[in-house]
Every structure is written in structure tokens, then in C-alpha cells.
Amino acid sequence: MPATATASSKRHRASRAVIRNRIEPKENLPIMSLSSRRKSLALPPLMAALLALGACSAGQPSAPPLPAVEKAAPLTTADADFVQKLNEMDMTQIALAKIAETHAARSDVATLGATIVKDLTGNQDRLTKLVTTHAITLTAKPSSEDQKIIDRMQHVHGAAFDRNYIRYLSRDHAKMKPVIESEIASSKNPDLVKLANDTKAMLAAYEAQLK
């Protein structure tokens, strides 16, 4: 083959290779999808927003510490004595009031019995919650003297029950009044003072209903 023909053929093949490389994409180059391009465009603003938020948070003062939980005011010896005496009165009067609901001849005495059961049961609940934070254990039953009265009244009915019940309430209230007044005047525990005032008002209301 002539040398000129060979050189011409080589130039022709080289020219076609150049054209092919310009038209056809190279296999090794990665092709970025439309979604990838959108993510790449959206990322810088998102990062800027996060950085701005972090800068704002860094400039904020730290939250103040929570206030300390207040401890219950300690009970004095007088407070503890009042708590026990009130507990004993409540238990005895609740027991007698339950008997009055079925043994009384007067309807007002029976009605008062139901009221006393409701009121003093609530009093007992308040008293129990109040002493849970203190080293005080409430007695679980009336004194032996009060239990004798409860047992005796179980066997009395009608007008005789009414007379004895009213006499007992008046005597018990008279015994508790100075204890309640002393607690109101001297105690530094606001919860006990409130309980004493509420009990004083209830006892006065019971006496007024029986007059």
C-alpha cells in the first residue's frame, strides 16, 4: 500500500475518534440526578438556618434554678398534744354519731349525727395527711373511758339516748374548747391553726342545732 494512503487512513480514523469522544458521554463520569442537585442547592440555606439558631441559643441566658421545696414546719410539743386530743375527740364523736342515726328519738339529733359523721371523717382525713410528714402516730381507737361511753350508748334508745347524747356532746365540747383556743393562739403551723379554727366553727354549729 502506498505511504500516502496509509497516512490518510490514520488521519481519518483519528478524526472519527475525536468526534466520537465529543458526542458520547464518558462512562466513568458520575451523572447527578435532578433530586440530588435540588438537595445540594437546599443544603446551604438549611445549614445557615441551623447555625443561626445555634448562635441565638448560645446568646440566651441559662434558665434560673427551681426554688427549693419548702419543708413542713416542725410540730411543737403543744401541737402534738393538740393533734392527739383532736384525733381522740373525732373518733369518739364519729362512733357516737353513727349510733345517733339509728337510736335517737328526735329527728334533729339523728340528722346531726349524720352531719357529724361526715364532718369529722373529713377532719380525720386532714389530720392524717397533716401528720404524715412528722414523726407522729395517731391512736387508732378511742381511750378506754370513751369506749365505755360508746358501749353503754349502744344499749340506749329513744328519749333517753337523746338526753345522754346531748349531755356527752356538751361536756366533750367544753373540754376541747380551751385546747382549740390555745392551739389557735400559740401554734406556728398554719395548717394546724386552720384545722383548729374549722373544728371550732363545727362544734359551735352542732351546739346551736341542739338548743
Side-chain angles (χ1 to χ4, degrees), residues 40-114:
S40 65
L41 292 174
L43 185 58
L46 177 60
M47 292 180 64
L50 291 175
L51 290 173
L53 181 61
C56 292
S57 300
Q60 293 293 329
S62 59
L66 294 175
V69 178
E70 293 186 7
K71 295 182 179 179
L75 299 186
T76 64
T77 303
D79 288 334
D81 182 63
F82 168 74
V83 164
Q84 294 293 359
K85 287 181 178 178
L86 181 60
N87 175 57
E88 290 174 7
M89 185 203 73
D90 285 346
M91 287 190 297
T92 302
Q93 289 209 16
I94 289 171
L96 289 172
K98 288 180 178 179
I99 301 171
E101 292 184 76
T102 56
H103 287 50
R106 289 169 47 177
S107 60
D108 60 333
V109 173
T111 300
L112 178 61

Side-chain angles (χ1 to χ4, degrees), residues 93-136:
Q93 289 209 16
I94 289 171
L96 289 172
K98 288 180 178 179
I99 301 171
E101 292 184 76
T102 56
H103 287 50
R106 289 169 47 177
S107 60
D108 60 333
V109 173
T111 300
L112 178 61
T115 301
I116 290 176
V117 171
K118 179 182 177 182
D119 290 347
L120 297 191
T121 298
N123 232 29
Q124 283 288 91
D125 292 340
R126 290 172 62 186
L127 192 58
T128 301
K129 290 178 182 178
L130 195 149
V131 300
T132 52
T133 55
H134 303 279
I136 294 179

Side-chain angles (χ1 to χ4, degrees), residues 19-31:
I19 293 172
R20 189 183 303 114
N21 288 338
R22 288 178 180 177
I23 295 175
E24 295 179 359
K26 294 182 179 180
E27 293 181 357
N28 294 331
L29 290 177
I31 300 174

Side-chain angles (χ1 to χ4, degrees), residues 16 24 38 55 66 68 92 100 107 127 137 148 158 166 168 195 201:
R16 282 192 300 175
E24 295 179 359
R38 286 178 179 173
L66 294 175
T92 302
S107 60
L127 192 58
T137 301
K148 289 178 182 178
I166 293 171
Y168 173 78
L195 183 60

Side-chain angles (χ1 to χ4, degrees), residues 2 9 23 54 73 174 177 200 207:
S9 177
I23 295 175
K177 278 180 181 178
K200 178 182 176 181
E207 290 180 2

Side-chain angles (χ1 to χ4, degrees), residues 122-179:
N123 232 29
Q124 283 288 91
D125 292 340
R126 290 172 62 186
L127 192 58
T128 301
K129 290 178 182 178
L130 195 149
V131 300
T132 52
T133 55
H134 303 279
I136 294 179
T137 301
L138 298 174
T139 55
K141 57 183 181 180
S143 66
S144 58
E145 181 183 350
D146 287 337
Q147 188 61 51
K148 289 178 182 178
I149 296 173
I150 295 168
D151 294 339
R152 184 167 64 248
M153 292 294 283
Q154 289 277 13
H155 304 287
V156 182
H157 296 76
F161 177 88
D162 295 343
R163 288 193 302 270
N164 284 279
Y165 181 61
I166 293 171
R167 182 166 60 248
Y168 173 78
L169 286 184
S170 298
R171 187 185 68 183
D172 202 35
H173 294 176
K175 186 170 62 177
M176 278 299 297
K177 278 180 181 178
V179 178

